[in-house]
Amino acid sequence: MTATTTVLSARALLLDMDGTLVNSDAAVERIWRRWAGRHGLDGDEVMKVVHGRQGYASMALLLPDRPMERNHADNARMLAEETADTEGVVEIAGAREFLASLRGLPHALVTSADVALSTARMAAAGLGLPDVRVTAESVGASKPDPEGFLKGAAELGVDPADCVAFEDSGAGIEAARAAGMRVVGVGPRAGAYGPDVVVRDLTEVRVEADGRGGLRLSVGGGVA
């Protein structure tokens, strides 16, 4: 751990996938920059938008005059591309040990990926899937809407205020905040969006049962 350690108590953890458990940046860049080129958009500007959101929601921001049904159709094609392209997808440092430490403790995956993509990326990174999963099929609204995090808390039977979310993106952190949760920001993107604590990766996090039905998190890194 780093020199500064923050201790948080919780009853459950809600975990984003891309950028939080899995480093899929290489694949995301390849696929979204190709999409940007097809639509005459600046790739750098597109990459500022797409992290954390479902594809159709990113497209709606980038092409505001395009009919939403075209965004959904395009999103389906993009998801198939992303599922097939796992080259360079690896775990975030410490993710395997972090997930192992959560066995038997209340936690859920809350991801903007669909079932096929989340399964493919977690497998490519050598990570097991949590038993409770909220994927794109589970919600009607993309992050930054809080629906996914609220659904994850409900599935675990835990009040949102007693949950800590792990996120890397602006959209994800905004969603967790809107759900009333505290947030551990993971990686270089997270610090700009006001999480409670920022860590470089998951080697800076320790989780243990507190003996009273809750969880005790020791989180390294600076308080945001």
Side-chain angles (χ1 to χ4, degrees):
M1 282 192 188
T2 54
T4 303
T5 300
T6 299
V7 177
L8 301 172
S9 60
R11 296 190 67 82
L13 305 184
L14 299 179
L15 315 173
D16 175 49
M17 181 183 71
D18 291 300
T20 301
L21 298 173
V22 170
N23 183 346
S24 56
D25 281 1
V28 173
E29 289 261 350
R30 282 193 298 273
I31 288 162
W32 276 99
R33 285 185 182 276
R34 283 201 300 268
W35 182 88
R38 289 197 296 268
H39 295 279
L41 299 174
D42 181 88
D44 291 340
E45 294 304 311
V46 167
M47 295 313 302
K48 292 176 183 177
V49 171
V50 300
H51 292 292
R53 292 180 173 84
Q54 291 191 45
Y56 74 84
S58 296
M59 294 170 191
L61 290 173
L62 293 161
L63 297 172
D65 296 326
R66 190 164 80 153
M68 188 57 79
E69 59 267 24
R70 288 188 59 193
N71 294 336
H72 281 287
D74 219 0
N75 185 48
R77 288 189 291 270
M78 293 277 283
L79 283 168
E81 279 188 64
E82 290 183 287
T83 301
D85 183 359
T86 56
E87 183 181 350
V89 174
V90 296
E91 68 165 323
I92 295 290
R96 188 176 287 105
E97 294 80 6
F98 174 68
L99 287 171
S101 76
L102 299 184
R103 289 191 191 118
L105 302 177
H107 68 286
L109 188 72
V110 180
T111 176
S112 293
D114 64 2
V115 169
L117 180 56
S118 58
T119 301
R121 283 189 174 159
M122 291 287 279
L127 301 176
L129 284 160
D131 291 337
V132 179
R133 301 185 288 276
V134 178
T135 61
E137 296 93 338
S138 310
V139 297
S142 169
K143 297 173 186 177
D145 190 282
E147 182 184 359
F149 282 114
L150 293 172
K151 186 160 282 191
E155 289 277 342
L156 294 170
V158 177
D159 190 284
D162 292 327
C163 296
V164 171
F166 283 69
E167 268 286 359
D168 71 299
S169 70
I173 291 169
E174 184 180 340
R177 284 279 193 221
M181 298 175 184
R182 290 155 294 156
V183 186
V184 175
V186 180
R189 282 189 289 269
Y193 301 105
D196 294 275
V197 184
V198 182
V199 295
R200 179 185 59 229
D201 55 45
L202 294 171
T203 66
E204 297 183 345
V205 182
R206 298 288 183 274
V207 182
E208 57 190 359
D210 67 5
R212 302 186 302 276
L215 309 176
R216 182 180 185 272
L217 287 72
S218 299
V219 184
V223 177

